[in-house]
Amino acid sequence: MNPKTTKIYLYTRYERFWHWLQMALIVLLLATGLEIHGLYSLFGFEPSVEIHNFTGIGWLMAFAVFVFWLFTTGEWRQYIPTTRKMLEVIKYYAHGIFLGQPHPYPKRKLAKHNPLQRLTYLSLAAFLLPVQMATGILYWTYNSWTSRGFDFLSLQVIAAIHMAGAFALISFLIIHVYMTTTGHSLFAHIKSMITGWEEIDEGVKIEDWERARGKPTQPSGT
Amino acid sequence: MRRLCLLALSVCACSLISFIMPCPPAAGEDEAVGRSMAHQATKSVRNWSTSDHSKHKALHQAFESGAQVTSACLSCHSEAFDQFKETIHWKWLAPQDGSGKKYGKAGDSVNNFCISSNYLNDKKCLSCHPGWEGKKDTVNCLSCHGQQDYNFTEGFEDYAAFSRSKDQEELEIAADIQKDIQNAVQRVARPGRKNCGKCHFYGGGGDGVKHGDLDSSLTAPNKSLDVHMGVDSQDFACTRCHTTVNHHVAGRIYTIPAATDRKSLIDNDLTSKITCESCHTATPHKAGQKPNDHTDKVACQSCHIPTFARVNPTKMYWDWSQAGKLKDGKPYDVIGPLGKETYMTIKGEMVWEKNVKPQYAWFNGSIKTLTTKDIIDPSQPVPVGRQMGDIHDPNARIFPFKIHRGKQPYDKVRNTILAPLLSGDDGFWNTLDWNSALKKGMAHMDQPFSGEFGFIESTYVYPITHMVAPGENVVKCVECHTGKNGRLANLSGFYMPGRDRFKPVDIPGWALVIGSLLGVLLHGAGRLISNSSKKEEETIDEP
């Protein structure tokens, strides 16, 4: 029944490292952030604050490297949003997946993300994370607001935006982790993010517009 | 590509490693700025005196009265009395503010402990006045400078009696008494903890009644009670911080704050050492530590004095309306579990507590005390003494307080606080008659009394600033940064992480999280069901 599958090297070493580092940072930031918000007692309030601040700054530095990587490698094109095939993808997750239909948007080296992913990751990297970083830095430098002329800011507003971002991230995390189970097998996607090799159906045609570089490619695997 | 990876790796690894394994700094470099500054400001306590008072001729004369002792002191310290006469310690009056009300114990001020001194007509109050034998004419230098416990009143009386005798033996006794007097007079020095404590530890009529952070346990405290005064620590006398200029001792005087500007000794080497910042600076913690960011809004005392009255109990409640009850026709006392009176016929009902958590409020260093001339609202607790300052006052900090509650008499017609006469033959403690005691008291102050009195609930605040605990006992962050009964739960008007929630974000936020969770669970369940039904179909199809 299943079409023949083949393996392609989809995620480079840096991408995989960045992915898991970012995961660790976000989980640590969430765990400490929610403790600071008064939800539970895990590390203790004071250690939580220290870890949160340090991790936040660490993430900022690592994120700068990621942005540099995005633009030097041209990988930013993978995140250009598109509405084409968006409906098909939505239909697939809402319906086709239950019927065992194939994914309407197979992964390829030059088209790693489906339209839904592109939109999600773009909003994440270009909006949500920068907002978290900006509000985080403002929160962190609260004491120098006066000397920097930021007196018009309100800590409550900054904190509220930072919390709203946190909720959005938790929600993303839940759905993202769940989506990893929708591959060929439950752990197929996770495995590929570890090894870099993704299993895909053979012989599925990729249209030119789907490719990140927008130009025809050689046959996959070469 | 490989280089990029390595760069990214090293950046991230460095940041990760440095917070997972914070390197212990080398010994010596570890000290917080504020601590090393303070150590420098208080180096080597040696005897700096260039004078041995036991060798001074002026102190080797036969003293027959306190006034003679004072003259002997002034024969060298010529300006001392002129200076001292101007101080609140002598006048018991704060500088006047032109309101027509005289602030101070000798003025119109009232509190909710012993209530009033009735312009110093309540003679019992004078036991703390630094004059000779409870009189107001000559200063008794030894009240503050005498280092030997000696009852001069008795000594002078006995000397007078024996020295006039013709009996040789009695004259010898007189000579011995005179020797004792001279010994006591010659043992003078800068005031020690005991000198100040004689009055300030016993304010309100007993040990630890008033302050809560000042009682006899500070005569010889250990480090855990007070890091500065601890005899096993820095062994500070009170005057180490309450520095003195022309006999004016630094400290708060009613509405006048102890310090109007926050200067450290680096800013001004002649500044008083009355504030923590004088020696410890405004950023006393190690660089980058969060508590340094708190010093603009939170007083050092708020974190560094977790509880007060840690050795001796302090009085927290004093209900004068219960005074006057008799048992078998006689006045009586009841001793409570802390070894202190919980009822006294002459004073009423009281509550004592130990290890009390302070209450916190914005405070700019001024305390507004009501006077017998202020109109009050008897329908609610009257703030007889209340802290000044609020969140918008740049000089205000969140500060710890002891709040002493009580019930005290007021004029039901004029809505003013009444000051009864307590001690003496006509005083309440002798007559147990409120009406006459109030009349006498108000007459002494030359102020009206309608004759109708009741009792109001009242509060009186004392800033908590002594009994600074060792570092390991400071208030933990989470004791304030919590939504559950935190120490700062009653302070509003600002957002505090850990304590405050912004519901318009939190409620939809959690709804989103729970919605996502339910969504993926439902989706997953759908896949599971459709998968298994497909498999079933396949197994049915196969045969």
Side-chain angles (χ1 to χ4, degrees):
Chain A
M1 284 286 282
N2 289 337
K4 262 185 97 179
T5 60
T6 182
K7 281 191 167 180
I8 57 167
Y9 188 62
L10 200 60
Y11 306 113
T12 62
R13 203 162 12 171
Y14 171 71
E15 271 179 291
R16 285 174 279 141
F17 163 76
W18 168 243
H19 174 269
W20 292 113
L21 174 72
Q22 184 162 242
M23 180 218 70
L25 294 176
I26 289 178
V27 167
L28 203 53
L29 282 165
L30 276 176
T32 50
L34 291 177
E35 171 158 14
I36 295 164
H37 199 50
L39 249 74
Y40 46 75
S41 183
L42 180 67
F43 300 99
F45 188 89
E46 196 178 0
S48 272
V49 171
E50 275 164 23
I51 296 172
H52 195 84
N53 291 346
F54 216 104
T55 315
I57 299 300
W59 187 19
L60 199 68
M61 295 194 294
F63 194 78
V65 176
F66 169 67
V67 172
F68 180 69
W69 172 84
L70 266 186
F71 286 99
T72 48
T73 58
E75 283 293 296
W76 61 273
R77 291 190 183 88
Q78 303 269 11
Y79 300 89
I80 298 170
T82 173
T83 51
R84 291 172 77 167
K85 271 205 182 177
M86 173 91 84
L87 217 59
E88 282 93 322
V89 176
I90 293 172
K91 267 188 198 155
Y92 167 74
Y93 285 117
H95 184 65
I97 191 169
F98 300 112
L99 305 177
Q101 289 172 356
H103 198 287
Y105 191 102
K107 284 181 190 301
R108 285 297 180 270
K109 180 93 185 151
L110 296 173
K112 291 175 186 168
H113 308 312
N114 69 49
L116 218 51
Q117 279 177 306
R118 286 190 189 189
L119 198 64
T120 308
Y121 298 157
L122 180 69
S123 351
L124 213 62
F127 178 69
L128 185 55
L129 298 186
V131 165
Q132 281 309 76
M133 288 167 190
T135 50
I137 285 177
L138 284 172
Y139 210 140
W140 187 53
T141 56
Y142 169 66
N143 267 75
S144 48
W145 284 7
T146 309
S147 61
R148 280 166 213 259
F150 288 160
D151 263 344
F152 60 92
L153 290 173
S154 134
L155 186 62
Q156 170 151 6
V157 172
I158 295 296
I161 298 173
H162 203 63
M163 267 317 287
F167 284 121
L169 271 167
I170 300 173
S171 169
F172 164 77
L173 213 62
I174 292 168
I175 296 167
H176 183 70
V177 169
Y178 170 73
M179 294 298 253
T180 64
T181 66
T182 61
H184 286 97
S185 66
L186 276 185
F187 297 105
H189 285 324
I190 291 181
K191 216 169 115 191
S192 73
M193 193 44 91
I194 294 170
T195 62
W197 291 89
E198 176 86 46
E199 206 175 353
I200 56 161
D201 295 340
E202 244 181 16
V204 179
K205 190 172 173 354
I206 304 290
E207 287 176 41
D208 274 354
W209 66 266
E210 289 174 322
R211 299 175 202 280
R213 283 167 211 256
K215 52 185 178 190
T217 49
Q218 294 124 11
S220 65
T222 55
Chain B
M1 192 64 208
R2 172 155 293 198
R3 260 188 223 154
L4 264 178
C5 288
L6 281 175
L7 179 72
L9 251 174
S10 52
V11 166
C12 300
C14 285
S15 50
L16 274 175
I17 286 166
S18 54
F19 84 76
I20 291 169
M21 295 194 302
C23 301
E29 295 165 22
D30 193 20
E31 200 169 57
V33 192
R35 182 169 287 181
S36 49
M37 296 312 294
H39 279 153
Q40 285 178 40
T42 58
K43 264 181 182 166
S44 69
V45 195
R46 298 270 154 73
N47 185 10
W48 293 336
S49 179
T50 52
S51 185
D52 178 349
H53 281 81
S54 68
K55 292 181 184 163
H56 287 217
K57 284 216 176 75
L59 303 183
H60 281 277
Q61 51 178 297
F63 293 112
E64 288 173 13
S65 70
Q68 281 181 6
V69 176
T70 298
S71 306
C73 300
L74 298 181
S75 67
C76 292
H77 300 278
S78 58
E79 308 307 307
F81 189 36
D82 284 341
Q83 290 173 357
F84 191 72
K85 270 194 310 196
E86 298 305 314
T87 68
I88 187 160
H89 275 131
W90 179 254
K91 295 204 289 192
W92 285 13
L93 283 173
Q96 303 305 303
D97 64 354
S99 65
K101 296 165 197 160
K102 285 191 280 180
Y103 291 104
K105 281 186 189 67
D108 305 316
S109 291
V110 284
N111 59 39
N112 68 355
F113 296 91
C114 277
I115 307 177
S116 173
S117 79
N118 307 98
Y119 285 4
L120 298 184
N121 284 299
D122 223 319
K123 296 299 173 202
K124 194 79 186 18
C125 298
L126 286 174
S127 64
C128 261
H129 192 263
W132 286 102
E133 290 123 34
K135 293 196 187 86
K136 291 175 280 177
D137 37 13
T138 319
V139 65
N140 176 358
C141 307
L142 300 175
S143 315
C144 303
H145 294 283
Q147 299 305 304
Q148 189 171 316
D149 279 330
Y150 184 76
N151 188 333
F152 282 96
T153 312
E154 257 176 36
F156 289 136
E157 271 172 18
D158 292 352
Y159 178 71
F162 286 112
S163 64
R164 264 182 251 130
S165 165
K166 299 222 162 85
D167 182 66
Q168 193 55 36
E169 228 169 79
E170 289 194 352
L171 282 175
E172 272 173 32
I173 295 174
D176 282 346
I177 294 170
Q178 184 53 235
K179 211 176 162 194
D180 289 344
I181 292 175
Q182 286 184 22
N183 274 339
V185 168
Q186 288 160 11
R187 288 204 55 210
V188 287
R190 274 187 290 267
R193 288 188 295 257
K194 217 172 175 179
N195 293 106
C196 307
K198 209 167 52 186
C199 292
H200 291 282
F201 294 165
Y202 298 90
D207 193 6
V209 169
K210 263 189 178 172
H211 288 270
D213 63 336
L214 283 178
D215 60 46
S216 65
S217 66
L218 285 175
T219 310
N222 60 14
K223 190 181 176 182
S224 79
L225 180 60
D226 191 295
V227 286
H228 301 107
M229 297 169 84
V231 289
D232 52 347
S233 179
Q234 302 288 322
D235 202 12
F236 279 13
C238 311
T239 49
R240 208 65 197 273
C241 302
H242 293 268
T243 47
T244 303
V245 177
N246 289 345
H247 276 98
H248 285 280
V249 181
R252 176 184 57 85
I253 299 175
Y254 291 85
T255 50
I256 304 166
T260 42
D261 48 6
R262 295 170 174 270
K263 275 189 178 155
S264 78
L265 292 165
I266 298 186
D267 303 319
N268 175 356
D269 70 336
L270 291 178
T271 191
S272 87
K273 293 186 186 174
I274 193 66
T275 68
C276 308
E277 284 178 36
S278 312
C279 296
H280 291 286
T281 77
T283 50
H285 304 93
K286 285 178 207 167
Q289 286 197 342
K290 196 63 196 167
N292 276 337
D293 291 343
H294 282 60
T295 57
D296 58 338
K297 297 290 175 199
V298 183
C300 310
Q301 290 91 332
S302 292
C303 301
H304 288 275
I305 309 175
T307 54
F308 57 86
R310 295 205 291 272
V311 174
N312 294 338
T314 187
K315 199 182 272 191
M316 298 300 289
Y317 180 79
W318 187 337
D319 182 354
W320 280 99
S321 73
Q322 299 300 311
K325 290 182 199 164
L326 298 173
K327 201 184 250 176
D328 307 325
K330 284 179 199 156
Y332 69 102
D333 297 344
V334 179
I335 305 291
L338 291 170
K340 294 282 191 178
E341 298 89 355
T342 51
Y343 183 77
M344 289 172 88
T345 297
I346 60 165
K347 292 184 176 179
E349 207 173 276
M350 26 226 164
V351 175
W352 295 77
E353 282 177 36
K354 250 177 97 168
N355 292 312
V356 190
K357 238 188 224 185
Q359 290 188 273
Y360 299 86
W362 293 96
F363 180 45
N364 65 13
S366 294
I367 293 210
K368 178 99 173 155
T369 314
L370 290 185
T371 66
T372 45
K373 291 175 176 169
D374 289 301
I375 303 297
I376 55 155
D377 174 7
S379 67
Q380 48 193 350
V382 177
V384 174
R386 71 175 195 279
Q387 74 289 347
M388 306 304 285
D390 57 46
I391 188 171
H392 306 295
D393 183 341
N395 277 328
R397 302 285 186 281
I398 295 171
F399 207 93
F401 289 94
K402 166 186 166 177
I403 299 183
H404 180 261
R405 289 164 212 286
K407 281 186 183 169
Q408 64 192 101
Y410 81 107
D411 190 318
K412 275 176 128 170
V413 177
R414 303 184 64 253
N415 282 338
T416 52
I417 294 169
L418 292 171
L421 187 69
L422 295 174
S423 61
D425 289 343
D426 298 336
F428 177 78
W429 289 343
N430 193 41
T431 63
L432 296 183
D433 176 353
W434 275 122
N435 208 23
S436 103
L438 290 167
K439 264 184 194 146
K440 292 256 153 58
M442 294 313 281
H444 276 307
M445 297 172 79
D446 205 13
Q447 286 174 36
F449 168 41
S450 72
E452 273 188 63
F453 70 95
F455 289 85
I456 41 147
E457 283 182 40
S458 64
T459 56
Y460 197 87
V461 299
Y462 264 108
I464 296 298
T465 188
H466 306 94
M467 296 188 181
V468 175
E472 62 269 22
N473 296 341
V474 294
V475 174
K476 305 277 176 295
C477 308
V478 75
E479 291 185 51
C480 298
H481 289 276
T482 174
K484 297 172 206 109
N485 304 319
R487 286 183 184 244
L488 302 187
N490 63 326
L491 294 180
S492 56
F494 60 97
Y495 182 87
M496 199 166 118
R499 183 193 72 168
D500 297 324
R501 305 274 167 82
F502 187 59
K503 280 190 179 144
V505 165
D506 270 34
I507 292 170
W510 286 118
L512 176 71
V513 169
I514 292 165
S516 310
L517 212 55
L518 286 177
V520 300
L521 283 176
L522 279 173
H523 199 271
R527 278 167 59 208
L528 213 66
I529 293 163
S530 67
N531 243 346
S532 58
S533 61
K534 241 187 303 163
K535 269 184 193 150
E536 261 171 48
E537 277 169 35
E538 280 168 17
T539 41
I540 294 164
D541 288 349
E542 253 169 47

